[in-house]
Amino acid sequence: MSDDNGHTLTAKDFRTDQEVRWCPGCGDYAILAAMQSFMPELGIARENTVFVSGIGCAARFPYYMNTYGMHSIHGRAPAIATGLATTRPDLSVWVVTGDGDALSIGGNHLIHALRRNINFKILLFNNRIYGLTKGQYSPTSELGKVTKSTPMGSLDWPFNPISLAIGAEATFVGRAIDTDKKGMTEVLRAAAEHRGSAFVEIFQNCPIFNDDAFEFVRDDKEGVNRIALHHGEPITWGADGEKALRQLPDGTIEVCAASEDGVLVHDSSHTEPSLAFALSRVTQGTHGGTPVGVFRNVERAVYDDLMAEQLRVAEKKRGKGDLAKLLHSGETWVVS
Amino acid sequence: MSDDNGHTLTAKDFRTDQEVRWCPGCGDYAILAAMQSFMPELGIARENTVFVSGIGCAARFPYYMNTYGMHSIHGRAPAIATGLATTRPDLSVWVVTGDGDALSIGGNHLIHALRRNINFKILLFNNRIYGLTKGQYSPTSELGKVTKSTPMGSLDWPFNPISLAIGAEATFVGRAIDTDKKGMTEVLRAAAEHRGSAFVEIFQNCPIFNDDAFEFVRDDKEGVNRIALHHGEPITWGADGEKALRQLPDGTIEVCAASEDGVLVHDSSHTEPSLAFALSRVTQGTHGGTPVGVFRNVERAVYDDLMAEQLRVAEKKRGKGDLAKLLHSGETWVVS
Amino acid sequence: MGIKPVEQLSQVIVRFAGDSGDGMQLTGSQFTSEAALLGNDISTLPDFPAEIRAPAGSLPGVSGFQLHFADHDILTPGDAPNVLVAMNPAALKTNLADLPKGGTLIVDADAFTDRNLQKAGYAQSPLEDGSLDEYQLHPVPLTTLTVGALKDVEGVTPREAERSKNMFSLGLMSWLYGRSIDPTIAFLEEKFAAKRPEIYQANVKALQAGYAFGETTESFAVTYEVKPAKLTPGRYRNITGNQALSLGLVASSRLSGLPLFLGAYPITPASSILEELADYKEFGVRTFQAEDEIAAAGAAVGAAFGGALAITTSAGPGVVLKAETVGLAIMLELPLVICDIQRAGPSTGMPTKPEQGDLLMVLYGRNSESPVPVVAARSPSDCFDAAIEACRIALKYRTPVYLLSDAYLANGSEPWLLPELETLPDLTPTFATEPNAGDEFLPYLRDEQTLARPWAVPGTPGLEHRIGGLEKADRTGNISYDPDNHDLMTRLRAQKVAGIASDIPELEVDDPDGDAKVLVLGWGGTYGPVAAAARRVRERGKPVAHAHLRHLNPLPRNTGDVLRRYEKVLVPEMNLGQLLQLVRAQFLVDAAGYNQVRGVPLRAAELADAIEALVDSE
Amino acid sequence: MGIKPVEQLSQVIVRFAGDSGDGMQLTGSQFTSEAALLGNDISTLPDFPAEIRAPAGSLPGVSGFQLHFADHDILTPGDAPNVLVAMNPAALKTNLADLPKGGTLIVDADAFTDRNLQKAGYAQSPLEDGSLDEYQLHPVPLTTLTVGALKDVEGVTPREAERSKNMFSLGLMSWLYGRSIDPTIAFLEEKFAAKRPEIYQANVKALQAGYAFGETTESFAVTYEVKPAKLTPGRYRNITGNQALSLGLVASSRLSGLPLFLGAYPITPASSILEELADYKEFGVRTFQAEDEIAAAGAAVGAAFGGALAITTSAGPGVVLKAETVGLAIMLELPLVICDIQRAGPSTGMPTKPEQGDLLMVLYGRNSESPVPVVAARSPSDCFDAAIEACRIALKYRTPVYLLSDAYLANGSEPWLLPELETLPDLTPTFATEPNAGDEFLPYLRDEQTLARPWAVPGTPGLEHRIGGLEKADRTGNISYDPDNHDLMTRLRAQKVAGIASDIPELEVDDPDGDAKVLVLGWGGTYGPVAAAARRVRERGKPVAHAHLRHLNPLPRNTGDVLRRYEKVLVPEMNLGQLLQLVRAQFLVDAAGYNQVRGVPLRAAELADAIEALVDSE
Ligand SMILES: Cc1ncc(C[n+]2csc(CCOP(=O)(O)OP(=O)(O)O)c2C)c(N)n1
Ligand SMILES: Cc1ncc(C[n+]2csc(CCOP(=O)(O)OP(=O)(O)O)c2C)c(N)n1
Ligand code: SF4
Ligand code: SF4
Ligand SMILES: [Mg+2]
Ligand SMILES: [Mg+2]
């Protein structure tokens, strides 16, 4: 597809000359490749695309995307991107972050960006570990995890990033898997099309410090563990599509046979986030399946647009700002 | 009731000699009074009780409680209380915070304390405004709010503190109203009995900068707006208890007649938070009623207890730490 | 009751003090307007109560406003008032100590009730126990008189009527000093006439009644006149520091042609900059009230990357949180102005009180060698120029710049000679638009003169590049761990900032006769009292030189020469000696400090004595 | 192939360099153990690659470990190696520049494949193009030899066999320097024998094969011996700075009788303190991995309020975030130790590299006047004592204390003479248990001597009180906005910290003959190279004095006297002159700086030349 300047872009155009410095086998490679393949589809010129990241292995990402980019400081990428996106609505802004970067030190910026619905896309590479600092547990590590900093096991109940994002009023929430290029591209596409903040959790394998954390869905050849969410379709899965999800009167979700009554039809555009939230509680451990795809995708006024609109209205009402007049406003007097 | 030292305590024992410095009519007075009346009931000696706050009008609270107390820095009270609670499991620790303090600058500490389930109680005085800094909008202010810092109206979609807390894996979530001493006491009692983090949002009127923000439930003489949640009871309300809540198959909640089928029976102890989350979306604006009481109250391992347990286990396995042995551990050699 | 004699005064200092709810700030600023319009030079100092509205009548609830007006140019709001207007016992209690014996004291006699006396901690009424004998006491039943004057105004509640007593006192003071109340009537009209005509009426009536009371009462035998001052001709406007700073930022946006982006989180005494700027949307100003100070600074860095004029504002406890982000901006070499409206600390300290405690913090409060220019404003109106200068340096050198003001400048006001737009500097930056090394773009190839790197904003085709907080290779900006490169880059960053010395004016010394042996060196918000003190010393026939720093980093290139020219150097500061440490270290000059950390502006009289003692010593 | 001649050496510096996956850190530390057990004095310097594991064979992926061992006491890991073991072309490329001409160079010839050469940027093999002619080159087919030696070990994959080549090289080096491989065998047994016996076997076989290869090959004609050093008698252990610091904290907990609480957020190079301490749970140590550095510091303040020995650890980019919380602790006057393991900056900088860039930050990086004591460690083992000293000051004076270490001390190691427990100080604090003013408890009533306020912990009946970040009235601790009180409290806080000068040792000067004209003044982690440089200068017959600061605030009370005793003062630092600024400002001494900001330790040889030049000048 050609970009807004008429250039035909390919994945190669999005590669930089920097040597990629992740460990062999790191899931980040697959995400990078998927992203580079996907970008041309957007038809946005490279110079109008910006990747902003924090610190972490994941946060190296911008160095490898031949667009504008900033590898900023730990946890602050959503804040930085907020300033960029609100002043430059012409840009396509992407935030790349890790589970530590986004949910530990950066948790507050993340939830505020989501509630504000700032127009950028947040890709959270979740490997359930601190990779860059060599293997301490993260806010998504499972309870009891033995890591360098928790020799007897971690004590903190983990965040469910999808639940957290929905609780923080996110308008777009999705999940993808590093090795699932097709699924990831679908989610990325929907995220890119969404005006406002889009939050995408990507399960990412860290073979060095937390190998196989997501093996159940990464390598789900038989398709027995991935529950693909598609808007408007019944939520079913299993080798033969025989399993399905259904909601109980107590608000929770149970597994049933696809043939049974009351199978949930996925509605990612429902204004009320309750069902998306309930779906976020469906996990491999509790339900024997893991939803991937778009949980929630609703329209809501976008912070940046509202701001631009206020500027327009103010100018319309008061006229374009006149500096001389401004300085002379209020009570003035002349000394001669 | 007498405390653990056998003293009989009254509300008066919990007053300090400091002049209370809130504006006339501020909702904080009622909360303070309710709290001072409630404390004796707990039977905890004053010296074993600590109030920790951040900065804001609400955060002045500790000065007026004749217990140990710390008026700390903006947003950090949950972090500070974490250190206190984990090292001193013998204390009853309370965090008092405002909507700006807890949800703006302190949002990250709040959600992390909740997921960790640290053993302290968080009282969030929500007046939907920054009181102390004289009237800027807060993260709970409604969209479009005109304040000093938003002359044309605020642009950010607000947090729903209850939804956010549930999304952050909170084990106890409640809501009370400053003027409703009885209801507040009930929630405080349940919070105090809960081992782990208890999060209580208290609607608080700021007559100076955001008067009447909660008038619909504060002054709900006819009982038409407050939906009182009681565990194990059907969720009904209205002047004659004629209205009720019911869940739709799409996960959302609708209002129905109390006499209809399928009226929700409140189950605050359900391990799955989905229904509590759905209830958090019931608001005056959307449903014509506002739930108050305990949304969620479940048991989960408490960070502080787990930590104490690890210390016990380590000591049991390795023996009480012997400093000389520790220093001499590893390979040593003698120079003579 | 004929016309009373008029006594000429060259200057008067009036302080209004009352309960937070008594409208003292409004009274003071209206009296200020009247004085300004009359052509006096003026200087004001509001004194807010502690940040929470304390209960009515209590000591912590007292709010004050001091105005100094004169027939000559003045430098400070004055150390001590000549006239104190106290609306209740608490106001009297907290302010009396500042009134010199013999001073004029006007009190609302009605407010001296038992309850109010008790709240203020008076065992008996000071109006009756003779304790005020040494003052010219005027107990006026302000409340009764006001309520009486308003009895015919319809639609006004008794409480509202009572609350108009501030206008009564303003009327009385206007009469006493021969000021016209017309500007205040005009002000009241604009403020209330449309929305609440009855309040408008009540206020005007009270104002007029106060004026008339002055004319008729026996209590005041003379009135006073303070002639207009001979100020530089031109159009003036009364302005506070935070207003001037905000206007300076808007002006910089226009002068640079860049849209202004402000990331801020409310905090006393900086909040009003956010509030001011939020109201300039027709200037394309974007204000972002962030979730905290870190996000505020971060968003500003993002905006700077996108090509905006990026600003973040706060006070000490918030500025400290921005340090990591400023460190990033230093590494990214992007323009950013961080405004620190200093307040008394440490920690939360005394939020409404001024201090100069943050100088060393802004210079050094970041990990590792992270040099940054620092600019400080000297007076309320000077905040305008200081803001433009901070923006100029930031944009030209692609660097974060700290702009220091304080709680006193922020809220204090003075007449501001409005600048001609043409005299303001052109701040237009050059954005990179094409490769700068063959057909390559090197984001860290520096301008030879300024050492600034190119600013290539997203949207510019062909210049796509990535920057970040890791050490970067010279020229290419790629990540580098090379030891020599790090040493080089560290020195380059330092040199870039140090080099600004050649782009700022030399330090000017005010040494009228050139015979001074003592130099007083000040910076920032103490300009007024320091200059006033120097003036007093000279009036006593003693020579003293005075110099004042706008640039704290780098220091003007002649600073060392200037300091070494004098036998003694005194550095007055509202801290424990921060500039002092800098000049001693840089120039090995045995300068001494004059340090007060009282949360109130330095007092010129005390400082003058200290200077004189130094001049006299040996 | 009889017994080869043995040459005596007084010291050797060996550097192992290879790919991140080559196990160079393990090889180096095992060789260190062997040297230590043999009684040599040792000093080591690991050099980690950039923080991400770069692709195998790439330049950024090179990991190094340098060991200096000697028959006398040594001070540094050495400027330049005598022997370089390079496991691949990238390792050769990045390290060769440091090897002096004539040095011994051992390379794995098998690794010089086309692919690897290309990754390292070699156009042709340096083994063949004569470019290494000036070195004593030993190309050994390490991989082939290792794989060959292991062909009989069952259960080992080819990859695992290959990866044992580090043990082969260790065996070879052990033979070359006459070290016994028994300790390494014991280590391997403990590490692998139970879990993976085949790996244990493979490693031991490789080790032995390397040793045997040395004996048999023609390649090496002589072996070397480095005799044991004459060290202070006692029991030793090899220790890194972060280990020693951790142990110092645990010891302080025992010595004070207070439970240790650590609030930390992972960051290079501080993380390993958190990891160490997490493993001492049987000592009652609580480690809290917080959501960020602010929470980590905040939790520590909460723990301190509750009566714990509260610690927070980080590196510059994280320490900067703790500043606001430290300001609170200063106001609360509660004990807290903030460990800053300095790394190269600014911003993210070079995370694994050392620097001394944070001194001014920890001193001044907070809003307003917020004085705080600062203690710095001088060597890896000294981190133990420095930690105890920091805890002592914090507990006794109820104040936050910064403890400075750096990336070099953190990971470098040296033998540590284990202290006798009885020689360690008693740190037991006195908690307030009853009213201190009649039947009132005044939380800010100070100890006359230390000016410390009482520490009354929750749970103490009758002492309930509230503290906070607002300015507090003297003695009572109530909120106060009184100007004179603020001035007083500001000065009291400053005096409390300044007064610690009477409680720390005087600055000792090493001036053996008392005839030096030049003083070299160092601080912190540069002790080794600075002392070594001074020694070298003296060996050249030139007198020079050397003093080293453990306490950076307050400075020892005799510091000014010491400095003024010398004609010239040189201050070597790994920054642009931070201590230099302090001593110039405080003592007006025209000291000069020797500054390198290269992210690597100062080199003693270069520094010695600079000192000598200064001694010789004039
Ligand atoms: C202020 C600050 N604190 C801590 C660090 C150290 N640090 C760098 S990355 C990281 C965590 C990385 O984890 P995550 O975000 O999950 O990324 P990953 O490496 O796993 O991709 C930490 C703690 C830092 N660079 N800056
Ligand atoms: C680091 C820091 N930033 C900002 C402030 C200023 N500040 C004090 S309280 C407050 C907000 C208070 O709002 P809220 O928490 O809702 O409390 P309320 O006053 O409404 O009870 C702010 C912004 C501060 N004290 N410290
Ligand atoms: S440490 Fe883990 S996340 Fe980081 S680059 Fe290596 S494999 Fe990837
Ligand atoms: S400003 Fe509002 S919240 Fe604060 S004390 Fe006054 S009424 Fe209460
Ligand atoms: Mg991670
Ligand atoms: Mg509030």
Side-chain angles (χ1 to χ4, degrees), chain A residues 22-23 26 28 57 127 131 204 206-209:
Chain A
W22 289 306
C23 308
C26 178
D28 291 346
C57 296
N127 55 12
Q204 173 243 327
C206 169
I208 304 296
F209 296 112

PDB file of all heavy atoms in Angstrom, chain A residues 22-23 26 28 57 127 131 204 206-209, ligand 3:
ATOM      1  N   TRP A  22      18.138  -8.161  20.851  1.00  0.00           N
ATOM      2  CA  TRP A  22      17.435  -8.995  21.813  1.00  0.00           C
ATOM      3  C   TRP A  22      18.107 -10.369  21.846  1.00  0.00           C
ATOM      4  O   TRP A  22      18.821 -10.753  20.907  1.00  0.00           O
ATOM      5  CB  TRP A  22      15.965  -9.148  21.420  1.00  0.00           C
ATOM      6  CG  TRP A  22      15.154  -7.914  21.610  1.00  0.00           C
ATOM      7  CD1 TRP A  22      15.042  -7.195  22.754  1.00  0.00           C
ATOM      8  CD2 TRP A  22      14.329  -7.258  20.639  1.00  0.00           C
ATOM      9  NE1 TRP A  22      14.193  -6.132  22.559  1.00  0.00           N
ATOM     10  CE2 TRP A  22      13.737  -6.146  21.277  1.00  0.00           C
ATOM     11  CE3 TRP A  22      14.010  -7.504  19.301  1.00  0.00           C
ATOM     12  CZ2 TRP A  22      12.862  -5.284  20.624  1.00  0.00           C
ATOM     13  CZ3 TRP A  22      13.139  -6.661  18.649  1.00  0.00           C
ATOM     14  CH2 TRP A  22      12.575  -5.549  19.300  1.00  0.00           C
ATOM     15  N   CYS A  23      17.842 -11.125  22.887  1.00  0.00           N
ATOM     16  CA  CYS A  23      18.424 -12.461  22.982  1.00  0.00           C
ATOM     17  C   CYS A  23      17.858 -13.345  21.873  1.00  0.00           C
ATOM     18  O   CYS A  23      16.722 -13.148  21.435  1.00  0.00           O
ATOM     19  CB  CYS A  23      18.075 -13.119  24.312  1.00  0.00           C
ATOM     20  SG  CYS A  23      18.444 -12.116  25.734  1.00  0.00           S
ATOM     21  N   CYS A  26      14.004 -14.489  21.512  1.00  0.00           N
ATOM     22  CA  CYS A  26      13.107 -13.569  22.221  1.00  0.00           C
ATOM     23  C   CYS A  26      11.848 -13.315  21.394  1.00  0.00           C
ATOM     24  O   CYS A  26      11.921 -13.110  20.185  1.00  0.00           O
ATOM     25  CB  CYS A  26      13.827 -12.254  22.482  1.00  0.00           C
ATOM     26  SG  CYS A  26      12.766 -11.044  23.318  1.00  0.00           S
ATOM     27  N   ASP A  28      10.211 -10.785  21.190  1.00  0.00           N
ATOM     28  CA  ASP A  28      10.183  -9.432  20.624  1.00  0.00           C
ATOM     29  C   ASP A  28      10.473  -9.443  19.124  1.00  0.00           C
ATOM     30  O   ASP A  28       9.977  -8.580  18.391  1.00  0.00           O
ATOM     31  CB  ASP A  28      11.201  -8.530  21.338  1.00  0.00           C
ATOM     32  CG  ASP A  28      10.802  -8.235  22.786  1.00  0.00           C
ATOM     33  OD1 ASP A  28       9.638  -8.495  23.148  1.00  0.00           O
ATOM     34  OD2 ASP A  28      11.656  -7.769  23.547  1.00  0.00           O
ATOM     35  N   CYS A  57      13.545  -4.337  27.829  1.00  0.00           N
ATOM     36  CA  CYS A  57      13.903  -4.977  26.560  1.00  0.00           C
ATOM     37  C   CYS A  57      12.921  -4.534  25.485  1.00  0.00           C
ATOM     38  O   CYS A  57      13.305  -4.111  24.398  1.00  0.00           O
ATOM     39  CB  CYS A  57      13.847  -6.493  26.705  1.00  0.00           C
ATOM     40  SG  CYS A  57      15.053  -7.145  27.866  1.00  0.00           S
ATOM     41  N   ASN A 127       5.813 -10.194  29.211  1.00  0.00           N
ATOM     42  CA  ASN A 127       6.552 -11.451  29.378  1.00  0.00           C
ATOM     43  C   ASN A 127       6.552 -11.887  30.839  1.00  0.00           C
ATOM     44  O   ASN A 127       7.246 -12.811  31.219  1.00  0.00           O
ATOM     45  CB  ASN A 127       7.989 -11.332  28.830  1.00  0.00           C
ATOM     46  CG  ASN A 127       8.730 -10.163  29.460  1.00  0.00           C
ATOM     47  OD1 ASN A 127       8.272  -9.587  30.442  1.00  0.00           O
ATOM     48  ND2 ASN A 127       9.879  -9.815  28.897  1.00  0.00           N
ATOM     49  N   GLY A 131      12.803  -8.233  32.084  1.00  0.00           N
ATOM     50  CA  GLY A 131      13.862  -8.812  31.278  1.00  0.00           C
ATOM     51  C   GLY A 131      15.160  -8.032  31.402  1.00  0.00           C
ATOM     52  O   GLY A 131      16.201  -8.566  31.771  1.00  0.00           O
ATOM     53  N   GLN A 204       4.356 -12.248  25.309  1.00  0.00           N
ATOM     54  CA  GLN A 204       5.679 -12.289  24.675  1.00  0.00           C
ATOM     55  C   GLN A 204       6.589 -13.199  25.463  1.00  0.00           C
ATOM     56  O   GLN A 204       6.709 -13.072  26.676  1.00  0.00           O
ATOM     57  CB  GLN A 204       6.254 -10.861  24.624  1.00  0.00           C
ATOM     58  CG  GLN A 204       7.691 -10.786  24.146  1.00  0.00           C
ATOM     59  CD  GLN A 204       8.619 -10.235  25.210  1.00  0.00           C
ATOM     60  OE1 GLN A 204       8.243  -9.400  26.011  1.00  0.00           O
ATOM     61  NE2 GLN A 204       9.855 -10.729  25.221  1.00  0.00           N
ATOM     62  N   CYS A 206       9.901 -14.635  26.984  1.00  0.00           N
ATOM     63  CA  CYS A 206      11.278 -14.286  27.331  1.00  0.00           C
ATOM     64  C   CYS A 206      11.995 -15.583  27.624  1.00  0.00           C
ATOM     65  O   CYS A 206      11.889 -16.128  28.723  1.00  0.00           O
ATOM     66  CB  CYS A 206      11.313 -13.382  28.566  1.00  0.00           C
ATOM     67  SG  CYS A 206      12.988 -13.181  29.239  1.00  0.00           S
ATOM     68  N   PRO A 207      12.671 -16.135  26.618  1.00  0.00           N
ATOM     69  CA  PRO A 207      13.280 -17.455  26.812  1.00  0.00           C
ATOM     70  C   PRO A 207      14.363 -17.462  27.884  1.00  0.00           C
ATOM     71  O   PRO A 207      14.682 -18.511  28.423  1.00  0.00           O
ATOM     72  CB  PRO A 207      13.857 -17.782  25.438  1.00  0.00           C
ATOM     73  CG  PRO A 207      13.962 -16.488  24.720  1.00  0.00           C
ATOM     74  CD  PRO A 207      12.898 -15.602  25.274  1.00  0.00           C
ATOM     75  N   ILE A 208      14.899 -16.284  28.185  1.00  0.00           N
ATOM     76  CA  ILE A 208      16.015 -16.259  29.131  1.00  0.00           C
ATOM     77  C   ILE A 208      15.543 -16.287  30.580  1.00  0.00           C
ATOM     78  O   ILE A 208      16.051 -17.038  31.400  1.00  0.00           O
ATOM     79  CB  ILE A 208      16.873 -14.992  28.905  1.00  0.00           C
ATOM     80  CG1 ILE A 208      17.360 -14.929  27.457  1.00  0.00           C
ATOM     81  CG2 ILE A 208      18.040 -14.950  29.874  1.00  0.00           C
ATOM     82  CD1 ILE A 208      18.287 -16.044  27.045  1.00  0.00           C
ATOM     83  N   PHE A 209      14.590 -15.468  30.901  1.00  0.00           N
ATOM     84  CA  PHE A 209      14.223 -15.354  32.315  1.00  0.00           C
ATOM     85  C   PHE A 209      12.846 -15.905  32.662  1.00  0.00           C
ATOM     86  O   PHE A 209      12.493 -15.995  33.830  1.00  0.00           O
ATOM     87  CB  PHE A 209      14.309 -13.887  32.763  1.00  0.00           C
ATOM     88  CG  PHE A 209      15.701 -13.337  32.700  1.00  0.00           C
ATOM     89  CD1 PHE A 209      16.054 -12.359  31.786  1.00  0.00           C
ATOM     90  CD2 PHE A 209      16.683 -13.839  33.546  1.00  0.00           C
ATOM     91  CE1 PHE A 209      17.347 -11.873  31.721  1.00  0.00           C
ATOM     92  CE2 PHE A 209      17.978 -13.356  33.487  1.00  0.00           C
ATOM     93  CZ  PHE A 209      18.317 -12.371  32.564  1.00  0.00           C
TER      94      PHE A 209
HETATM   95  S1  SF4 E   3      15.944 -10.880  28.448  1.00  0.00           S
HETATM   96 FE1  SF4 E   3      14.053 -11.854  27.729  1.00  0.00          FE
HETATM   97  S2  SF4 E   3      12.762 -10.153  27.015  1.00  0.00           S
HETATM   98 FE2  SF4 E   3      14.861  -9.374  27.167  1.00  0.00          FE
HETATM   99  S3  SF4 E   3      15.728  -9.613  25.103  1.00  0.00           S
HETATM  100 FE3  SF4 E   3      16.291 -11.432  26.304  1.00  0.00          FE
HETATM  101  S4  SF4 E   3      14.664 -12.901  25.872  1.00  0.00           S
HETATM  102 FE4  SF4 E   3      13.886 -10.916  25.236  1.00  0.00          FE
END
